[in-house]
Amino acid sequence: MDAFLHKSENRGHVKMGWLESKHSFSFGNWYNPKYMGISALRVINDDLIDGHQGFGQHPHDNMEILTCVLKGTITHQDSMGNHGGISAGEWQLMSAGTGVRHSEMNQGDEQVHLLQIWIIPNEHDAQPNYQQIKLDPREQPNQWHLICGPNDNAPMHIRQNAEVKTAVIKKDQALAIKATQHINYVHVISGSVQIAEYTLNAGDAIAFLDVVDMRALDDAQVIWFDLPEVKD
């Protein structure tokens, strides 16, 4: 199987006071020309945010910003009038469109763990919008759960020909991976899995084109990006 393997130790590691982050792709002050994104997937930041800290008001435009909270609760507020908490097992999708300002703050005492994911849209200067769902894959393991996609069957609508799915897989169980678009990119959140001849542990990721089965070597959670072929 032809594949691009992205090991956890090759991610950018940023520690600045209240924030510890691991960047799968070039972001902020961490730059590596080898890791600039896959297809329309531009950012996966694995963030640990200390209590009573967070990202103050700042702007975005023309980006699909997906947040997956793994531990704790982050409080979101934006210029569209949305204000509330996103807790572990919940997902937030903010389509920045023509422009939006927002903040993401940990108002509790305990550290928050989340993934912040950016996907480049195929529609620019659209009306900004906000979506949020509760979908905890631990409640229904060993199956794929669609988080967002371009069609009406998706719990949240994304402005790109891409689907994002997640699964919790129990040890020795397997799931098939078959892209509806063109490119598979699988990121391991926790545990370890086997994909073809590759063993992936927490923080590892792999991009490939084939149809394959993924088997859990330990209880694992993964996120699967089904991505279009993007031409330069």
Side-chain angles (χ1 to χ4, degrees):
M1 182 181 77
D2 291 333
F4 172 74
L5 185 64
H6 189 351
K7 297 295 289 182
S8 176
E9 57 264 30
N10 294 327
R11 295 186 292 175
H13 186 190
V14 177
K15 181 75 169 73
M16 49 180 194
W18 55 268
L19 174 66
E20 183 172 5
S21 185
K22 293 181 179 177
H23 304 331
S24 293
F25 306 114
S26 295
F27 186 88
N29 293 328
W30 184 76
Y31 175 78
N32 186 324
K34 186 177 178 181
Y35 302 112
M36 297 302 296
I38 296 287
S39 175
L41 176 61
R42 181 60 189 83
V43 168
I44 303 178
N45 289 350
D46 190 339
D47 292 341
L48 294 171
I49 303 168
D50 287 347
H52 306 285
Q53 300 288 344
F55 304 98
Q57 282 281 338
H58 60 282
H60 291 288
D61 63 65
N62 290 314
M63 192 64 71
E64 305 293 286
I65 301 172
L66 177 66
T67 300
C68 164
V69 179
L70 300 168
K71 176 185 175 184
T73 298
I74 199 80
T75 298
H76 169 92
Q77 186 168 4
D78 64 44
S79 55
M80 294 179 284
N82 300 295
H83 186 195
I86 307 128
S87 298
E90 296 183 317
W91 302 72
Q92 170 213 77
L93 178 61
M94 188 176 70
S95 297
T98 54
V100 64
R101 295 185 63 85
H102 76 121
S103 63
E104 309 290 336
M105 303 297 296
N106 178 4
Q107 296 184 339
D109 296 327
E110 300 298 320
Q111 199 172 58
V112 166
H113 185 195
L114 59 81
L115 297 181
Q116 182 183 147
I117 297 157
W118 293 10
I119 295 174
I120 301 167
N122 58 9
E123 178 183 355
H124 279 211
D125 295 331
Q127 184 71 22
N129 68 49
Y130 180 90
Q131 302 165 75
Q132 182 175 335
I133 60 169
K134 178 174 174 55
L135 199 161
D136 188 343
R138 294 173 298 182
E139 296 174 357
Q140 293 181 298
N142 305 320
Q143 60 181 287
W144 288 115
H145 298 273
L146 179 62
I147 300 302
C148 59
N151 302 317
D152 291 340
N153 66 316
M156 297 190 293
H157 181 268
I158 192 170
R159 291 171 173 146
Q160 181 54 264
N161 292 324
E163 290 185 344
V164 181
K165 300 178 182 180
T166 191
V168 164
I169 315 167
K170 296 296 186 179
K171 183 179 180 180
D172 295 328
Q173 296 297 306
L175 285 176
I177 302 172
K178 180 181 180 181
T180 61
Q181 296 296 322
H182 186 72
I183 299 167
N184 297 300
Y185 188 79
V186 175
H187 175 91
V188 181
I189 296 173
S190 62
S192 59
V193 300
Q194 185 84 26
I195 297 177
E197 66 268 36
Y198 300 98
T199 297
L200 284 79
N201 300 307
D204 294 344
I206 190 169
F208 56 96
L209 306 180
D210 307 59
V211 177
V212 299
D213 284 342
M214 173 177 58
R215 183 173 64 88
L217 303 177
D218 298 297
D219 290 356
Q221 182 175 358
V222 301
I223 185 166
W224 167 26
F225 300 89
D226 184 350
L227 299 164
E229 183 178 17
V230 173
K231 295 180 173 60
D232 295 333

